[in-house]
Amino acid sequence: MAPIITEPSHLVNPLASIAQLETSASQIDGVPRDLEASIRYETGRLNQAAGILLRLPQEIIAQSIVILQRFWTGPDGASMLKHDSKDVAAAALYLTAKPSGHCLTPRQLLTVFAFLDSLDGNYAEAASSKGTPTSQWSLSENDYEAQRERLYANEALILRTLGFQAHVALPYSLCINYLQTLDAFAGPDGSSLAKRAFAHLNSALLSPQRLYLTHQPCALVTASIYLAAREVGSCLPEVEWWEVFDVEREELGFLVVALRSMEGFAEEERRAWGRSRVPMTVGELRVAIADAHGWTAGE
Amino acid sequence: MSSRWADAAEDAEEDARRKAEKEGKRRLKAEKQRKAEEAQRAAAAEPQLNGHARSGEDTDRPAKRRRLSQDEAQDEPIADEPERQLLRFQPPPWQPCRSISRFDLLNHIEEGSYGFVSRAREVATGEVVAVKKLKLDPARDAGFPVTALREIQCLYAAKSHRHIVDLREVVCGEGESPGDTYLVMEFLEHDLKTLQEEMEEPFLPSEIKTLLLQLGSAVAFLHDHWILHRDLKTSNILLNNRGEIKLADFGMARFVGDPPPANLTQLVVTLWYRAPELLLGTKEYDGSIDVWSIGCIFGELLTKQPLLQGKNEVEQLSKIFELCGIPTEDSWPGFKRLRNARSLRLPPASNASQGSIIRSKFSTLTNAGAGLLNSLLSLNPTGRPTAQGILDHAYFREDPRPKPTAMFPTFPSKAGQEKRRRHASPNAPARGAAPGLQGEVDFSSIFKGREEEEKGGGFALRLV
């Protein structure tokens, strides 16, 4: 029998059970599956942009996105019709930054989230160097206090919902380690290979298949290296090298397909929402669901 | 070509080399097998042959070698296709906090700045546990307290070690106070601090060794998992009635990397157990601060009294220098550049009486024991052993041997029935600005009268 590792560690994440993947509290409350996926995707993008603006390292941003996904997952998870998803996203980032060496003040965090909220989803621009918030952009004192209360409440809510399992094992250092094992940095395209692999790992955070909740970091890394090597055109061993990293061919194949589908999914999301906002509060979500029903009924 | 895996001339060479290597390995394996067989056949007659073969290249035995290649041919199909075993990961999924109503609270044990600890019984199993209710004040702590977050993280990460207290789960309140948070941990009868206060005599040397080995293994495990405890002291070391200690209270603990993060707070570790570099204001430190605390605990176990009981930072530092001597640029290069060291006025160097008095203070200790204590309490952090290094120290191999935990005496439990007495020791520092050493600090007179002191006892009875 193969050895089994059962404790979460720097290499191992708790994964979602089948029951947790089957349905979610949001779906039970009547949120359509695709709308739920859109909101998950949007809150992930929101945290990525906010993290960049707050100059947080990618590790913390990635952890917050994984925690956010765990929070929405399963019938015991939280419902998007009970909690404002953008507030929860902010709390997830606040929570993951807190025990690290990059602690945020609530004011920094809430200001950045308020700024991003004013952009109607064009986060990419804001997160690039051009669109940093200007100094005259600020949050009113009343808004700040109310939001801070909600931030604290949501932080505690996330912890309780996850049973304080806020531990996230990340794939980044493992990726470097695997690339070194494959001697990838010996060749001239080693660094472009690594960059591409990292890019896949970052996009996988936003995958509608919740790859970080269904696969261990070693599998994610192996798949991202496999795909990146194809794209960059660098050669990998002809034997089943992924087995060295404890990944089966089947899992590798599944993950490579999932990673490749990310671009199409992102395009599809952009087209579907166009200029309109993804509903990120309970109120907006109610309206969106009612609209969807009205539209189908009217047809 | 672009990568190491591209086909090129060197690759062919590499292939050939690898093939040769494989061949060699196969040969070695076959040889091993042959030797095993041979050993079975003639166990007594062959010692010199085995000794010879172990050196690897036995060029003077061509006959044996030729016979090997026949064996090899038979071995081949088995050797080439071993079953591939991939590591599987099956950590349990997460689930929401369960409710405190699954526990009956029994009696109150103690109260600290972090919360209230009680004894409780799990209704379903009847098992007795310790339940720590956290004091939560979002306005004060900016949300959920970071100390509690780190404690939970670290305890979960260190769950598997037998000398670290087992955090079973975190549960929350019910009804009107769903926000209450309780840590459910295994219950242990004693903590070393309270126990020592009740004991007539200090632990025996053999018991101290067992306690230190357990503590050392726990700290080595933590450091190995990139965790600094940062508040090691006897009141944080729990002991059950089977002589097993468990490290508890990870409120100060945190994950670190290598190199350690810059800008760590120096306001860690309860004053009496705080390393000199922290008192001098360093912001970069590593596991050696925990090792210093182990040294303080070692001294405390020997005498039943906390080793260095300063009333404030300045006094603590002067007590450390009294015991361990005055640091010099030779013994601790660079210590003068630490923030608080600038205001220090130290007695002139090159005075023979300014060395460590650990040897003479602990006169009943063996040389190895004093050597260990001396190295644990090395002023220079790099002079201290690692936690793993402690375990390998000669002190633990000499008589009296560490006492088996099963042979430990049992003690009536304070935590079991009544409230634990409030500790007289100070608490770990609160978060906030670290006060520097105030004003000019003059240590030039701390060695006054050292000459008159007795230099160690002549004889002492050694208890085993």
Side-chain angles (χ1 to χ4, degrees):
Chain A
M1 217 184 80
I4 292 175
I5 292 182
T6 54
E7 290 289 329
S9 71
H10 290 293
L11 298 177
V12 185
N13 273 322
L15 298 183
S17 65
I18 293 168
Q20 277 171 325
L21 291 172
E22 242 167 21
T23 184
S24 69
S26 304
Q27 286 172 37
I28 292 171
D29 282 355
V31 181
R33 210 176 245 274
D34 54 342
L35 191 53
E36 186 192 21
S38 290
I39 295 173
R40 267 209 313 265
Y41 175 68
E42 194 69 6
T43 47
R45 287 181 61 223
L46 177 63
N47 269 15
Q48 182 68 57
I52 292 171
L53 288 180
L54 287 162
R55 300 203 171 79
L56 293 174
Q58 180 64 15
E59 286 104 310
I60 291 175
I61 302 172
Q63 280 181 33
S64 80
I65 295 174
V66 175
I67 286 195
L68 200 53
Q69 293 193 340
R70 286 185 196 162
F71 180 74
W72 297 129
T73 295
D76 291 330
S79 164
M80 293 170 179
L81 272 173
K82 295 207 176 74
H83 311 283
D84 290 340
S85 45
K86 69 173 182 207
D87 287 350
V88 173
L93 195 59
Y94 183 63
L95 173 64
T96 38
K98 187 180 265 186
S100 76
H102 303 269
C103 189
L104 297 170
T105 64
R107 189 179 290 278
Q108 288 173 309
L109 181 92
L110 293 171
T111 308
V112 164
F113 271 83
F115 167 72
L116 287 171
D117 191 44
S118 71
L119 297 181
D120 286 340
N122 296 321
Y123 306 139
E125 255 170 62
S128 72
S129 53
K130 287 169 236 155
T132 37
T134 47
S135 54
Q136 63 260 37
W137 210 97
S138 71
L139 195 62
S140 85
E141 202 56 27
N142 278 347
D143 282 354
Y144 168 65
E145 302 219 329
Q147 287 186 25
R148 192 181 55 184
E149 288 306 304
R150 286 210 298 278
L151 178 70
Y152 294 162
N154 280 323
E155 181 195 23
L157 176 72
I158 294 175
L159 286 169
R160 286 202 303 276
T161 309
L162 302 184
F164 285 80
Q165 263 294 4
H167 170 85
V168 180
L170 291 172
Y172 300 107
S173 43
L174 207 56
C175 185
I176 297 286
N177 188 248
Y178 283 12
L179 287 168
Q180 284 170 335
T181 308
L182 291 164
D183 231 353
F185 295 112
D189 49 7
S191 84
S192 53
L193 175 64
K195 275 185 190 147
R196 203 60 210 141
F198 268 53
H200 283 306
L201 290 173
N202 284 334
S203 335
L205 286 166
L206 306 175
S207 159
Q209 286 159 302
R210 287 171 283 183
L211 298 177
Y212 280 73
L213 268 48
T214 51
H215 295 269
Q216 293 296 351
C218 63
L220 296 170
V221 168
T222 308
S224 69
I225 293 176
Y226 184 95
L227 185 56
R230 285 291 183 84
E231 290 167 348
V232 176
S234 84
C235 292
L236 291 178
E238 277 161 22
V239 291
E240 293 96 331
W241 56 272
W242 43 87
E243 292 196 352
V244 175
F245 304 127
D246 299 302
V247 182
E248 282 163 1
R249 172 188 279 278
E250 203 180 327
E251 189 177 10
L252 175 70
F254 174 86
L255 280 171
V256 168
V257 172
L259 292 179
R260 288 187 61 180
S261 69
M262 266 313 289
E263 197 175 344
F265 173 75
E267 277 302 323
E268 189 54 43
E269 282 296 301
R270 185 161 32 202
R271 211 174 17 248
W273 291 99
R275 294 255 133 206
S276 59
R277 274 168 80 96
V278 179
M280 302 261 273
T281 62
V282 173
E284 288 169 4
L285 182 56
R286 284 223 176 87
V287 172
I289 293 172
D291 281 356
H293 279 301
W295 186 71
T296 24
E299 205 176 30
Chain B
M1 271 266 211
S2 56
S3 102
R4 150 135 162 56
W5 307 104
D7 289 318
E10 309 103 73
D11 285 313
E13 236 170 77
E14 180 75 11
D15 268 356
R17 192 186 60 76
R18 226 176 294 154
K19 215 172 231 170
E21 213 170 69
K22 222 174 180 181
E23 193 93 331
K25 267 187 203 152
R26 215 179 285 151
R27 230 175 252 158
L28 267 178
K29 194 177 172 189
E31 187 175 2
K32 227 185 209 166
Q33 196 182 354
R34 175 186 58 78
K35 254 184 269 150
E37 282 167 16
E38 232 163 325
Q40 267 180 346
R41 258 180 273 139
E46 305 265 338
Q48 69 274 59
L49 173 84
N50 281 346
H52 192 89
R54 214 176 295 131
S55 67
E57 297 293 304
D58 46 349
T59 41
D60 54 341
R61 288 191 174 269
K64 298 273 180 199
R65 257 201 173 173
R66 236 169 280 133
R67 219 182 63 200
L68 271 181
S69 53
Q70 290 169 357
D71 291 357
E72 175 199 305
Q74 292 165 0
D75 267 0
E76 205 160 11
I78 314 159
D80 260 8
E81 273 301 319
E83 203 198 327
R84 288 169 180 153
Q85 292 195 335
L86 306 189
L87 202 58
R88 294 290 90 192
F89 304 98
Q90 288 177 352
W94 65 91
Q95 59 173 15
C97 283
R98 302 194 286 177
S99 158
I100 188 67
S101 63
R102 289 169 41 248
F103 299 90
D104 283 335
L105 292 188
L106 299 175
N107 60 294
H108 196 62
I109 301 174
E110 64 177 341
E111 177 184 349
S113 50
Y114 48 83
F116 311 88
V117 184
S118 314
R119 214 161 60 101
R121 182 185 288 117
E122 187 169 18
V123 178
T125 60
E127 217 169 330
V128 172
V129 293
V131 169
K132 175 159 151 182
K133 181 182 178 191
L134 298 179
K135 282 184 183 166
L136 299 180
D137 182 354
R140 182 196 58 187
D141 300 322
F144 199 84
V146 66
T147 51
L149 271 182
R150 286 187 175 147
E151 170 158 40
I152 293 167
Q153 268 186 353
C154 292
L155 281 174
Y156 271 142
K159 212 173 162 56
S160 55
H161 196 273
R162 59 183 292 207
H163 294 304
I164 291 168
V165 72
D166 180 24
L167 171 64
R168 296 171 166 214
E169 63 176 305
V170 182
V171 298
C172 39
E174 48 165 9
E176 285 162 26
S177 48
D180 286 355
T181 305
Y182 305 81
L183 311 192
V184 180
M185 292 175 284
E186 63 183 315
F187 173 77
L188 282 93
E189 288 86 352
H190 315 280
D191 70 76
L192 273 186
K193 169 91 185 156
T194 322
L195 187 60
Q196 287 207 95
E197 283 166 5
E198 304 295 322
M199 287 164 65
E200 307 253 309
E201 294 290 324
F203 283 107
L204 298 176
S206 59
E207 293 167 348
I208 291 177
K209 284 184 188 179
T210 305
L211 295 175
L212 270 187
L213 282 175
Q214 297 183 24
L215 177 63
S217 80
V219 176
F221 180 87
L222 291 178
H223 290 178
D224 203 35
H225 286 70
W226 306 102
I227 299 170
L228 297 187
H229 186 281
R230 305 201 300 182
D231 196 16
L232 293 175
K233 54 175 170 178
T234 43
S235 56
N236 285 343
I237 299 171
L238 307 180
L239 179 75
N240 65 17
N241 273 333
R242 295 175 298 285
E244 281 178 338
I245 63 159
K246 309 247 179 185
L247 201 47
D249 202 335
F250 282 59
M252 286 273 143
R254 66 160 291 165
F255 282 100
V256 290
D258 183 21
N263 222 357
L264 291 164
T265 170
Q266 78 259 33
L267 251 191
V268 289
V269 191
T270 301
L271 186 59
W272 294 350
Y273 303 84
R274 199 180 299 165
E277 66 270 24
L278 292 171
L279 291 162
L280 291 176
T282 184
K283 289 194 166 187
E284 278 178 41
Y285 51 82
D286 55 21
S288 55
I289 63 153
D290 282 342
V291 173
W292 174 274
S293 306
I294 295 178
C296 297
I297 292 166
F298 185 15
E300 183 170 342
L301 290 172
L302 290 165
T303 59
K304 224 163 74 64
Q305 289 300 322
L307 186 60
L308 299 159
Q309 308 185 42
K311 288 193 191 69
N312 52 44
E313 273 86 353
V314 175
E315 204 190 293
Q316 186 67 25
L317 209 48
S318 87
K319 288 198 185 265
I320 289 174
F321 290 161
E322 267 174 61
L323 180 70
C324 307
I326 294 285
T328 63
E329 267 309 304
D330 287 336
S331 67
W332 186 359
F335 86 96
K336 287 218 167 108
R337 285 193 292 280
L338 293 175
R339 205 166 55 97
N340 297 344
R342 287 180 214 130
S343 56
L344 286 186
R345 229 172 354 131
L346 296 171
S350 79
N351 190 334
S353 66
Q354 287 172 9
S356 157
I357 56 161
I358 287 176
R359 176 66 276 198
S360 53
K361 185 172 159 115
F362 296 93
S363 50
T364 57
L365 208 51
T366 62
N367 280 334
L372 175 61
L373 185 55
N374 235 328
S375 65
L376 294 173
L377 297 180
S378 153
L379 291 172
N380 182 356
T382 58
R384 291 172 215 150
T386 60
Q388 187 59 46
I390 298 173
L391 305 179
D392 303 330
H393 198 274
Y395 172 61
F396 298 104
R397 291 194 301 274
E398 64 180 19
D399 284 330
R401 293 308 176 94
K403 192 181 227 178
T405 51
M407 306 282 283
F408 260 65
T410 57
F411 309 92
S413 170
K414 284 282 139 188
Q417 295 311 323
E418 55 198 88
K419 195 167 167 167
R420 253 178 221 169
R421 227 167 19 154
R422 284 286 304 192
H423 303 314
S425 75
N427 287 322
R431 288 169 69 79
L437 300 179
Q438 304 299 319
E440 278 282 292
V441 184
D442 189 351
F443 286 145
S444 38
S445 62
I446 62 173
F447 291 111
K448 253 189 218 149
R450 168 83 84 86
E451 281 76 12
E452 290 91 71
E453 274 173 31
E454 218 179 323
K455 287 268 194 245
F459 286 101
L461 280 178
R462 252 171 68 197
L463 296 169
V464 171

